[in-house]
Amino acid sequence: MHLSHDPAAPPAPQISFDQFLAVDIRVGRIVAAEPFPQARKPAYKLTIDFGATMGTRRSSAQITEHYTLDDLPGRLVAAVVNFPPRQIGPFISEVLTLGFPDEDGRVVLVTPSQEVPLGGRLF
């Protein structure tokens, strides 16, 4: 499945509410960000804390245009936590960190506008 980053692209086909509920999107706090020089496209390796129930998970994120390694620790982010792990070069990405493209297609992270408990599920 290819997702379009074009804001003029038509909406995706309708899905049922049960299909939406199958995607588990949770909030976590970035606790560490590291360079990922082996990635094909510029990316960082993130360690994200999803709270006591889920613990920490790792993610590769192509967010180098808008964020520095020092900007990321402490930031709340949204991530899909129920995809299977994905091998990205020598790294296993366990969650998909979510973002929107800016006008140039560079990723802007999805983040809550205020503090929320870690591990909270999007509804």
Side-chain angles (χ1 to χ4, degrees):
M1 172 186 218
H2 175 71
L3 297 177
S4 174
H5 298 291
D6 178 1
Q14 282 190 348
I15 62 171
S16 72
F17 190 68
D18 285 342
Q19 287 172 304
F20 169 73
L21 290 177
V23 180
D24 192 354
I25 300 172
R26 305 276 179 136
V27 65
R29 185 178 311 281
I30 298 172
V31 294
E34 306 166 61
F36 190 8
Q38 303 92 337
R40 264 187 302 134
K41 294 182 181 178
Y44 295 140
K45 293 187 266 188
L46 305 177
T47 303
I48 305 169
D49 181 5
F50 290 96
T53 301
M54 292 185 59
T56 59
R57 305 285 170 91
R58 308 230 26 225
S59 181
S60 169
Q62 296 174 2
I63 57 174
T64 60
E65 296 284 340
H66 286 298
Y67 306 94
T68 67
L69 292 171
D70 292 336
D71 292 335
L72 295 167
R75 182 181 295 269
L76 292 175
V77 292
V80 176
V81 299
N82 66 331
F83 285 151
R86 185 170 175 207
Q87 182 89 37
I88 301 174
F91 182 75
I92 301 289
S93 188
E94 300 170 302
V95 299
L96 175 65
T97 305
L98 299 175
F100 289 108
D102 70 7
E103 61 190 23
D104 296 319
R106 299 172 301 191
V107 179
V108 176
L109 291 168
V110 173
T111 187
S113 60
Q114 60 187 30
E115 285 290 318
V116 295
L118 298 181
R121 187 168 180 177
L122 180 77
F123 59 87

